[in-house]
Every structure is written in C-alpha cells, then in structure tokens.
Amino acid sequence: ERRYKLQHRRFQRRKFCRFCAEKIEYFDYKDVRMLRGYLTERGKILPRRMTGVCSGHQKNLTEAIERARNIALLSFVEK
C-alpha cells in the first residue's frame, strides 16, 4: 500500500512569480483584465500559495486591486 503511494505521487511544478520573470515593477490599477485574474468568483484576492506570486509583487498587486475597487473599476463583492 505504501509502495503504491510512492509510485503514483504526482510531480508538482514549482510555482514562479510571473511578474519577476517578465520584470514588471509597476501594476496599472486601470488594467482590470489582468487584475481580475487574481480574484475569486466572489471578488476576493487570491493568496500567494495559489497564484505563485512573490511577496513583494503580491503586496503591489493587492494595492492595485484596492485602488481599482476604490474608484469603482472593480467591485468589492461579486453577486
């Protein structure tokens, strides 16, 4: 039984920060299409462990999402 588990373990790819790879330093809060990719269907911000974004870029991403919400480009809650 244990042997079976070891043989059929899936290889998980290491997540990498897309923004570090593309050398993106500034997040445009007006780019709603990109920001929506980091929100759940309910409108919550996805955590780092799901997106693979590094801590610095996650902080900048959160700031951009909050700015977009404050000027009503993104909604706070999806219905």
Side-chain angles (χ1 to χ4, degrees), residues 21-39:
E22 295 176 11
K23 294 186 171 74
I24 294 175
E25 293 179 21
Y26 175 73
F27 290 92
D28 189 13
Y29 65 91
K30 294 170 278 189
D31 188 3
V32 177
R33 234 160 110 209
M34 187 272 293
L35 296 176
R36 281 228 171 101
Y38 293 92
L39 296 173

Side-chain angles (χ1 to χ4, degrees), residues 11 23 29 48 62:
F11 174 75
K23 294 186 171 74
Y29 65 91
R48 280 181 55 205
T62 301

Side-chain angles (χ1 to χ4, degrees), residues 3-50:
R3 197 167 142 191
Y4 176 78
K5 286 182 184 176
L6 290 175
Q7 287 176 349
H8 293 315
R9 186 179 290 177
R10 283 203 159 170
F11 174 75
Q12 278 195 327
R13 222 176 49 204
R14 183 167 153 70
K15 291 181 183 157
F16 66 95
C17 180
R18 195 186 105 204
F19 304 112
C20 284
E22 295 176 11
K23 294 186 171 74
I24 294 175
E25 293 179 21
Y26 175 73
F27 290 92
D28 189 13
Y29 65 91
K30 294 170 278 189
D31 188 3
V32 177
R33 234 160 110 209
M34 187 272 293
L35 296 176
R36 281 228 171 101
Y38 293 92
L39 296 173
T40 63
E41 306 85 46
R42 306 279 293 203
K44 293 182 175 183
I45 301 171
L46 287 170
R48 280 181 55 205
R49 66 180 176 270
M50 291 181 72

